[in-house]
């Protein structure tokens, strides 16, 4: 398979990340997905900050 069709290298940093980082990525992705329907998603930055603080604790 040619490199332009093989995109697994794009996800490699995520798949090789420590569990805490993967948890942050998954939760932030879900929070953003939950706000996609909004024209102007409010409080996403606060949501992300709370996710990071929660995982770090």
């Amino acid at each position: 398979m040619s490199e332009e069709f093989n995109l697994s290298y794009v996800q490699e940093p995520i798949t090789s990340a420590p569990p805490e980082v993967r948890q942050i990525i998954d939760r932030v992705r879900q929070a953003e997905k939950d706000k996609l329907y909004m024209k102007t998603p409010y409080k996403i930055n606060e949501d992300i900050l709370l996710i990071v603080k929660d995982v770090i604790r």
Side-chain angles (χ1 to χ4, degrees):
M1 183 180 280
S2 70
E3 188 171 331
E4 64 186 43
F5 293 112
N6 184 3
L7 298 178
S8 63
Y9 67 93
V10 174
Q11 292 188 352
E12 190 275 327
I14 296 170
T15 58
S16 66
E20 297 85 3
V21 174
R22 285 197 311 264
Q23 183 180 9
I24 290 171
I25 292 168
D26 288 340
R27 290 179 61 186
V28 168
R29 181 192 54 81
Q30 185 62 49
E32 289 178 337
K33 184 178 175 184
D34 292 343
K35 295 187 184 264
L36 280 178
Y37 71 93
M38 298 178 166
K39 185 174 182 178
T40 54
Y42 60 94
K43 292 190 174 189
I44 189 66
N45 291 338
E46 289 87 353
D47 293 346
I48 293 171
L49 183 60
L50 288 173
I51 290 168
V52 171
K53 285 180 177 180
D54 185 46
V55 172
I56 290 175
R57 281 188 235 161

